[in-house]
Amino acid sequence: MTIVEIGLPKRLVELTLDGESVRVPEGATILDACTAAGKSIPTLCYGDTLKPANACRVCMVEVEGSRTLVPSCSRKAEAGMVVHTDSERTRHSRKLVLELLGSATDLSTTPHVDEWMSACGADASRFGPDAETTLQPTIVDNPLYVRDYGKCILCYKCVDACGDQWQNSFAISVAGRGFDSRISTEFSAPLPESACVYCGNCIEVCPTGALSFKREHDKREDGTWDEEAQTQTTTICTFCGVGCNLTLHVQDNEIVKVTSPHDSTVTHGNLCIKGRFGWQHVQNR
């Protein structure tokens, strides 16, 4: 029999969310309260397995008594707090942030961004053709994954996953300052010459597709990538005895990528190189 330590029960705090009373455990964020109430809040830099980075600013909400809008992903819910998630201020802020991101970044592979743009009436093209994305060359320096920094919004999630929050490899970091800021390996070395161990955990947390599986990149390039036609099957990795959960994404009877459930108590969404990339032998016909 397995005994699970659940700890002491947490106190509940009650707040008002868009006119409705919501109760969440003490220490929960406003975003947690929104999720509990069934309200969808746009997020890009937020990751449920990482500490909030507060970088993208699309999840901002209005709290009565606060001079400025607050990031719902990191602001703790407090008793008596009155929150508005769809006020004129939040819509205007979200619209501007999405337009600025869309005018400077390729968001074509960012999930849900089109519906967010439509919901708040954002039009990135209104800044004119001179503000269009300056495409950067796609970096393919290894057979496992691709770096397309033209899609990068500098949310730092990949840096956190590679650094002290998960992998502790520190293969990538933010280089440069101001408009020259970019995600880079040390001295811009190719990945095979860096400290990268090819766990792919940076791909797992990337919200825009700036980091992607080589197989996914190739299928997008030739127009055969079809997420609607893909099935997902969660299984157990067979390479060692740890018992990591793998979710196989299958299209046309072929594994096209592997992820891991974020709610897994073993992996929390993370894998090693064998679990993330070592599935080609399954298709060796």
Side-chain angles (χ1 to χ4, degrees), residues 152-169:
C152 179
I153 61 169
L154 291 176
C155 67
Y156 312 131
K157 290 171 72 174
C158 59
V159 176
D160 290 338
C162 185
D164 59 2
Q165 291 194 36
W166 284 118
Q167 192 62 30
N168 285 289
S169 291

Side-chain angles (χ1 to χ4, degrees), residues 205-218:
V205 299
C206 180
T208 63
L211 302 171
S212 63
F213 285 81
K214 179 67 163 59
R215 186 63 179 141
E216 176 181 348
H217 175 266
D218 292 343

Side-chain angles (χ1 to χ4, degrees), residues 220-238:
R220 286 187 185 276
E221 286 290 297
D222 60 25
T224 59
W225 181 260
D226 186 2
E227 288 191 5
E228 293 184 0
Q230 293 174 13
T231 60
Q232 298 183 22
T233 304
T234 299
T235 183
I236 304 295
C237 182
T238 60

Side-chain angles (χ1 to χ4, degrees), residues 68-168:
T68 61
L69 298 178
V70 302
S72 63
C73 67
S74 61
R75 179 66 180 268
K76 295 291 190 292
E78 300 173 11
M81 183 180 274
V82 179
V83 181
H84 303 281
T85 67
D86 195 32
S87 65
E88 183 179 349
R89 286 184 72 191
T90 60
R91 288 194 299 271
H92 178 73
S93 172
R94 199 165 292 147
K95 174 178 182 290
L96 187 59
V97 168
L98 287 172
E99 286 179 339
L100 290 173
L101 284 175
S103 69
T105 313
D106 177 7
L107 300 179
S108 60
T109 55
T110 303
H112 312 300
V113 73
D114 289 336
E115 53 196 79
W116 297 341
M117 290 269 196
S118 177
C120 63
D123 178 17
S125 65
R126 74 185 180 92
F127 290 103
D130 293 336
E132 291 180 356
T133 300
T134 302
L135 293 178
Q136 303 179 52
T138 302
I139 303 175
V140 186
D141 56 8
N142 68 92
L144 300 181
Y145 71 94
V146 172
R147 293 179 286 162
D148 186 355
Y149 289 142
K151 298 177 180 178
C152 179
I153 61 169
L154 291 176
C155 67
Y156 312 131
K157 290 171 72 174
C158 59
V159 176
D160 290 338
C162 185
D164 59 2
Q165 291 194 36
W166 284 118
Q167 192 62 30
N168 285 289

Side-chain angles (χ1 to χ4, degrees), residues 1 5 37 61-62 74 90 161 200 207 227 234 250 253 277:
M1 180 178 69
E5 294 286 343
V61 296
E62 185 174 3
S74 61
T90 60
E227 288 191 5
T234 299
V250 178
N253 202 32
F277 298 107

Side-chain angles (χ1 to χ4, degrees), residues 25 45 68 97 105 158 174 177 198 259 261:
C45 72
T68 61
V97 168
T105 313
C158 59
V174 181
R177 295 290 185 270
Y198 296 100
T259 59

